[in-house]
PDB file of all heavy atoms in Angstrom:
ATOM      1  N   ASP A 509      36.849  -9.561   1.066  1.00 92.00           N
ATOM      2  CA  ASP A 509      35.651  -9.438   0.236  1.00 92.00           C
ATOM      3  C   ASP A 509      35.205 -10.782  -0.335  1.00 92.00           C
ATOM      4  O   ASP A 509      34.008 -11.058  -0.420  1.00 92.00           O
ATOM      5  CB  ASP A 509      35.897  -8.448  -0.907  1.00 92.00           C
ATOM      6  CG  ASP A 509      36.279  -7.069  -0.393  1.00 92.00           C
ATOM      7  OD1 ASP A 509      36.059  -6.815   0.813  1.00 92.00           O
ATOM      8  OD2 ASP A 509      36.806  -6.261  -1.171  1.00 92.00           O
ATOM      9  N   HIS A 510      36.164 -11.619  -0.737  1.00 93.00           N
ATOM     10  CA  HIS A 510      35.834 -12.866  -1.416  1.00 93.00           C
ATOM     11  C   HIS A 510      36.083 -14.091  -0.550  1.00 93.00           C
ATOM     12  O   HIS A 510      36.063 -15.220  -1.052  1.00 93.00           O
ATOM     13  CB  HIS A 510      36.641 -12.973  -2.711  1.00 93.00           C
ATOM     14  CG  HIS A 510      36.405 -11.832  -3.647  1.00 93.00           C
ATOM     15  ND1 HIS A 510      37.385 -11.338  -4.489  1.00 93.00           N
ATOM     16  CD2 HIS A 510      35.299 -11.062  -3.847  1.00 93.00           C
ATOM     17  CE1 HIS A 510      36.890 -10.326  -5.185  1.00 93.00           C
ATOM     18  NE2 HIS A 510      35.636 -10.131  -4.806  1.00 93.00           N
ATOM     19  N   GLY A 511      36.332 -13.900   0.704  1.00 92.00           N
ATOM     20  CA  GLY A 511      36.548 -15.023   1.606  1.00 92.00           C
ATOM     21  C   GLY A 511      37.559 -14.665   2.677  1.00 92.00           C
ATOM     22  O   GLY A 511      38.428 -13.811   2.474  1.00 92.00           O
ATOM     23  N   THR A 512      37.420 -15.339   3.818  1.00 91.00           N
ATOM     24  CA  THR A 512      38.356 -15.107   4.923  1.00 91.00           C
ATOM     25  C   THR A 512      39.206 -16.333   5.221  1.00 91.00           C
ATOM     26  O   THR A 512      40.055 -16.295   6.099  1.00 91.00           O
ATOM     27  CB  THR A 512      37.581 -14.717   6.195  1.00 91.00           C
ATOM     28  OG1 THR A 512      36.643 -15.755   6.505  1.00 91.00           O
ATOM     29  CG2 THR A 512      36.852 -13.394   5.993  1.00 91.00           C
ATOM     30  N   LEU A 513      38.966 -17.419   4.479  1.00 93.00           N
ATOM     31  CA  LEU A 513      39.747 -18.640   4.669  1.00 93.00           C
ATOM     32  C   LEU A 513      40.676 -18.837   3.480  1.00 93.00           C
ATOM     33  O   LEU A 513      40.322 -18.515   2.337  1.00 93.00           O
ATOM     34  CB  LEU A 513      38.828 -19.861   4.808  1.00 93.00           C
ATOM     35  CG  LEU A 513      37.852 -19.843   5.993  1.00 93.00           C
ATOM     36  CD1 LEU A 513      36.967 -21.073   5.960  1.00 93.00           C
ATOM     37  CD2 LEU A 513      38.604 -19.766   7.313  1.00 93.00           C
ATOM     38  N   ALA A 514      41.842 -19.375   3.741  1.00 92.00           N
ATOM     39  CA  ALA A 514      42.824 -19.571   2.682  1.00 92.00           C
ATOM     40  C   ALA A 514      42.268 -20.452   1.575  1.00 92.00           C
ATOM     41  O   ALA A 514      42.440 -20.167   0.384  1.00 92.00           O
ATOM     42  CB  ALA A 514      44.094 -20.182   3.265  1.00 92.00           C
ATOM     43  N   GLU A 515      41.568 -21.527   1.939  1.00 93.00           N
ATOM     44  CA  GLU A 515      41.036 -22.436   0.933  1.00 93.00           C
ATOM     45  C   GLU A 515      40.009 -21.743   0.049  1.00 93.00           C
ATOM     46  O   GLU A 515      39.976 -21.953  -1.172  1.00 93.00           O
ATOM     47  CB  GLU A 515      40.420 -23.656   1.631  1.00 93.00           C
ATOM     48  CG  GLU A 515      39.914 -24.692   0.654  1.00 93.00           C
ATOM     49  CD  GLU A 515      39.324 -25.909   1.359  1.00 93.00           C
ATOM     50  OE1 GLU A 515      39.352 -25.940   2.597  1.00 93.00           O
ATOM     51  OE2 GLU A 515      38.846 -26.808   0.652  1.00 93.00           O
ATOM     52  N   GLN A 516      39.175 -20.902   0.652  1.00 93.00           N
ATOM     53  CA  GLN A 516      38.192 -20.151  -0.137  1.00 93.00           C
ATOM     54  C   GLN A 516      38.885 -19.257  -1.160  1.00 93.00           C
ATOM     55  O   GLN A 516      38.518 -19.224  -2.347  1.00 93.00           O
ATOM     56  CB  GLN A 516      37.324 -19.292   0.784  1.00 93.00           C
ATOM     57  CG  GLN A 516      36.326 -20.066   1.631  1.00 93.00           C
ATOM     58  CD  GLN A 516      35.541 -19.139   2.536  1.00 93.00           C
ATOM     59  OE1 GLN A 516      36.047 -18.107   2.963  1.00 93.00           O
ATOM     60  NE2 GLN A 516      34.311 -19.506   2.833  1.00 93.00           N
ATOM     61  N   LEU A 517      39.875 -18.516  -0.709  1.00 95.00           N
ATOM     62  CA  LEU A 517      40.558 -17.582  -1.600  1.00 95.00           C
ATOM     63  C   LEU A 517      41.237 -18.323  -2.745  1.00 95.00           C
ATOM     64  O   LEU A 517      41.180 -17.879  -3.908  1.00 95.00           O
ATOM     65  CB  LEU A 517      41.595 -16.785  -0.806  1.00 95.00           C
ATOM     66  CG  LEU A 517      41.023 -15.850   0.272  1.00 95.00           C
ATOM     67  CD1 LEU A 517      42.151 -15.293   1.127  1.00 95.00           C
ATOM     68  CD2 LEU A 517      40.236 -14.707  -0.365  1.00 95.00           C
ATOM     69  N   ILE A 518      41.867 -19.466  -2.449  1.00 95.00           N
ATOM     70  CA  ILE A 518      42.560 -20.218  -3.495  1.00 95.00           C
ATOM     71  C   ILE A 518      41.574 -20.788  -4.503  1.00 95.00           C
ATOM     72  O   ILE A 518      41.749 -20.636  -5.722  1.00 95.00           O
ATOM     73  CB  ILE A 518      43.392 -21.350  -2.862  1.00 95.00           C
ATOM     74  CG1 ILE A 518      44.520 -20.766  -2.008  1.00 95.00           C
ATOM     75  CG2 ILE A 518      43.975 -22.261  -3.940  1.00 95.00           C
ATOM     76  CD1 ILE A 518      45.254 -21.806  -1.201  1.00 95.00           C
ATOM     77  N   ASN A 519      40.512 -21.433  -4.017  1.00 95.00           N
ATOM     78  CA  ASN A 519      39.551 -22.051  -4.925  1.00 95.00           C
ATOM     79  C   ASN A 519      38.863 -21.006  -5.805  1.00 95.00           C
ATOM     80  O   ASN A 519      38.665 -21.227  -7.001  1.00 95.00           O
ATOM     81  CB  ASN A 519      38.504 -22.833  -4.122  1.00 95.00           C
ATOM     82  CG  ASN A 519      39.097 -24.064  -3.460  1.00 95.00           C
ATOM     83  OD1 ASN A 519      40.120 -24.577  -3.908  1.00 95.00           O
ATOM     84  ND2 ASN A 519      38.474 -24.547  -2.401  1.00 95.00           N
ATOM     85  N   ARG A 520      38.520 -19.873  -5.216  1.00 96.00           N
ATOM     86  CA  ARG A 520      37.818 -18.857  -6.001  1.00 96.00           C
ATOM     87  C   ARG A 520      38.751 -18.146  -6.973  1.00 96.00           C
ATOM     88  O   ARG A 520      38.338 -17.764  -8.069  1.00 96.00           O
ATOM     89  CB  ARG A 520      37.150 -17.865  -5.046  1.00 96.00           C
ATOM     90  CG  ARG A 520      36.002 -18.532  -4.289  1.00 96.00           C
ATOM     91  CD  ARG A 520      35.390 -17.666  -3.208  1.00 96.00           C
ATOM     92  NE  ARG A 520      34.267 -18.373  -2.565  1.00 96.00           N
ATOM     93  CZ  ARG A 520      33.570 -17.885  -1.555  1.00 96.00           C
ATOM     94  NH1 ARG A 520      33.859 -16.699  -1.031  1.00 96.00           N
ATOM     95  NH2 ARG A 520      32.573 -18.600  -1.049  1.00 96.00           N
ATOM     96  N   ALA A 521      40.017 -17.998  -6.599  1.00 95.00           N
ATOM     97  CA  ALA A 521      40.986 -17.445  -7.547  1.00 95.00           C
ATOM     98  C   ALA A 521      41.201 -18.424  -8.702  1.00 95.00           C
ATOM     99  O   ALA A 521      41.325 -18.015  -9.868  1.00 95.00           O
ATOM    100  CB  ALA A 521      42.309 -17.150  -6.849  1.00 95.00           C
ATOM    101  N   ASP A 522      41.210 -19.715  -8.389  1.00 95.00           N
ATOM    102  CA  ASP A 522      41.357 -20.735  -9.420  1.00 95.00           C
ATOM    103  C   ASP A 522      40.167 -20.713 -10.382  1.00 95.00           C
ATOM    104  O   ASP A 522      40.316 -20.761 -11.599  1.00 95.00           O
ATOM    105  CB  ASP A 522      41.485 -22.101  -8.742  1.00 95.00           C
ATOM    106  CG  ASP A 522      41.853 -23.203  -9.729  1.00 95.00           C
ATOM    107  OD1 ASP A 522      42.482 -22.884 -10.752  1.00 95.00           O
ATOM    108  OD2 ASP A 522      41.520 -24.370  -9.463  1.00 95.00           O
ATOM    109  N   GLN A 523      38.957 -20.605  -9.823  1.00 95.00           N
ATOM    110  CA  GLN A 523      37.764 -20.515 -10.661  1.00 95.00           C
ATOM    111  C   GLN A 523      37.814 -19.288 -11.560  1.00 95.00           C
ATOM    112  O   GLN A 523      37.488 -19.355 -12.755  1.00 95.00           O
ATOM    113  CB  GLN A 523      36.511 -20.461  -9.777  1.00 95.00           C
ATOM    114  CG  GLN A 523      36.258 -21.741  -8.986  1.00 95.00           C
ATOM    115  CD  GLN A 523      35.104 -21.591  -8.010  1.00 95.00           C
ATOM    116  OE1 GLN A 523      34.284 -20.683  -8.153  1.00 95.00           O
ATOM    117  NE2 GLN A 523      35.041 -22.467  -7.028  1.00 95.00           N
ATOM    118  N   SER A 524      38.219 -18.172 -10.996  1.00 95.00           N
ATOM    119  CA  SER A 524      38.287 -16.931 -11.776  1.00 95.00           C
ATOM    120  C   SER A 524      39.322 -17.048 -12.885  1.00 95.00           C
ATOM    121  O   SER A 524      39.139 -16.508 -13.984  1.00 95.00           O
ATOM    122  CB  SER A 524      38.628 -15.762 -10.851  1.00 95.00           C
ATOM    123  OG  SER A 524      37.664 -15.621  -9.840  1.00 95.00           O
ATOM    124  N   MET A 525      40.417 -17.744 -12.625  1.00 96.00           N
ATOM    125  CA  MET A 525      41.431 -17.933 -13.661  1.00 96.00           C
ATOM    126  C   MET A 525      40.854 -18.731 -14.826  1.00 96.00           C
ATOM    127  O   MET A 525      41.082 -18.402 -15.998  1.00 96.00           O
ATOM    128  CB  MET A 525      42.646 -18.644 -13.064  1.00 96.00           C
ATOM    129  CG  MET A 525      43.801 -18.861 -14.036  1.00 96.00           C
ATOM    130  SD  MET A 525      43.672 -20.403 -14.960  1.00 96.00           S
ATOM    131  CE  MET A 525      43.909 -21.591 -13.641  1.00 96.00           C
ATOM    132  N   TYR A 526      40.060 -19.778 -14.537  1.00 95.00           N
ATOM    133  CA  TYR A 526      39.457 -20.552 -15.613  1.00 95.00           C
ATOM    134  C   TYR A 526      38.434 -19.725 -16.391  1.00 95.00           C
ATOM    135  O   TYR A 526      38.284 -19.881 -17.603  1.00 95.00           O
ATOM    136  CB  TYR A 526      38.802 -21.818 -15.050  1.00 95.00           C
ATOM    137  CG  TYR A 526      39.784 -22.930 -14.816  1.00 95.00           C
ATOM    138  CD1 TYR A 526      40.149 -23.307 -13.526  1.00 95.00           C
ATOM    139  CD2 TYR A 526      40.374 -23.599 -15.880  1.00 95.00           C
ATOM    140  CE1 TYR A 526      41.070 -24.321 -13.307  1.00 95.00           C
ATOM    141  CE2 TYR A 526      41.294 -24.607 -15.683  1.00 95.00           C
ATOM    142  CZ  TYR A 526      41.637 -24.966 -14.391  1.00 95.00           C
ATOM    143  OH  TYR A 526      42.553 -25.969 -14.187  1.00 95.00           O
ATOM    144  N   LEU A 527      37.735 -18.834 -15.689  1.00 95.00           N
ATOM    145  CA  LEU A 527      36.811 -17.936 -16.393  1.00 95.00           C
ATOM    146  C   LEU A 527      37.575 -16.992 -17.306  1.00 95.00           C
ATOM    147  O   LEU A 527      37.125 -16.670 -18.416  1.00 95.00           O
ATOM    148  CB  LEU A 527      35.979 -17.134 -15.376  1.00 95.00           C
ATOM    149  CG  LEU A 527      34.930 -17.946 -14.601  1.00 95.00           C
ATOM    150  CD1 LEU A 527      34.238 -17.064 -13.573  1.00 95.00           C
ATOM    151  CD2 LEU A 527      33.900 -18.537 -15.558  1.00 95.00           C
ATOM    152  N   ALA A 528      38.746 -16.541 -16.852  1.00 95.00           N
ATOM    153  CA  ALA A 528      39.566 -15.680 -17.700  1.00 95.00           C
ATOM    154  C   ALA A 528      39.994 -16.433 -18.963  1.00 95.00           C
ATOM    155  O   ALA A 528      40.012 -15.855 -20.067  1.00 95.00           O
ATOM    156  CB  ALA A 528      40.793 -15.198 -16.939  1.00 95.00           C
ATOM    157  N   LYS A 529      40.327 -17.710 -18.849  1.00 94.00           N
ATOM    158  CA  LYS A 529      40.678 -18.499 -20.032  1.00 94.00           C
ATOM    159  C   LYS A 529      39.469 -18.646 -20.939  1.00 94.00           C
ATOM    160  O   LYS A 529      39.583 -18.585 -22.181  1.00 94.00           O
ATOM    161  CB  LYS A 529      41.195 -19.875 -19.606  1.00 94.00           C
ATOM    162  CG  LYS A 529      42.618 -19.855 -19.054  1.00 94.00           C
ATOM    163  CD  LYS A 529      43.130 -21.256 -18.817  1.00 94.00           C
ATOM    164  CE  LYS A 529      44.596 -21.230 -18.375  1.00 94.00           C
ATOM    165  NZ  LYS A 529      45.487 -20.775 -19.456  1.00 94.00           N
ATOM    166  N   ALA A 530      38.300 -18.857 -20.318  1.00 93.00           N
ATOM    167  CA  ALA A 530      37.096 -19.015 -21.129  1.00 93.00           C
ATOM    168  C   ALA A 530      36.733 -17.735 -21.866  1.00 93.00           C
ATOM    169  O   ALA A 530      36.074 -17.765 -22.915  1.00 93.00           O
ATOM    170  CB  ALA A 530      35.929 -19.462 -20.244  1.00 93.00           C
ATOM    171  N   GLN A 531      37.127 -16.593 -21.344  1.00 92.00           N
ATOM    172  CA  GLN A 531      36.829 -15.309 -21.960  1.00 92.00           C
ATOM    173  C   GLN A 531      37.843 -14.925 -23.048  1.00 92.00           C
ATOM    174  O   GLN A 531      37.822 -13.804 -23.549  1.00 92.00           O
ATOM    175  CB  GLN A 531      36.787 -14.222 -20.890  1.00 92.00           C
ATOM    176  CG  GLN A 531      35.626 -14.372 -19.922  1.00 92.00           C
ATOM    177  CD  GLN A 531      35.680 -13.380 -18.785  1.00 92.00           C
ATOM    178  OE1 GLN A 531      36.527 -12.486 -18.783  1.00 92.00           O
ATOM    179  NE2 GLN A 531      34.784 -13.528 -17.822  1.00 92.00           N
TER     180      GLN A 531
END
Side-chain angles (χ1 to χ4, degrees):
D509 301 344
H510 302 147
T512 57
L513 299 177
E515 183 179 358
Q516 288 178 329
L517 295 171
I518 294 172
N519 291 337
R520 291 173 178 178
D522 189 27
Q523 294 174 19
S524 301
M525 182 272 293
Y526 278 109
L527 289 177
K529 284 187 175 292
Q531 293 174 7

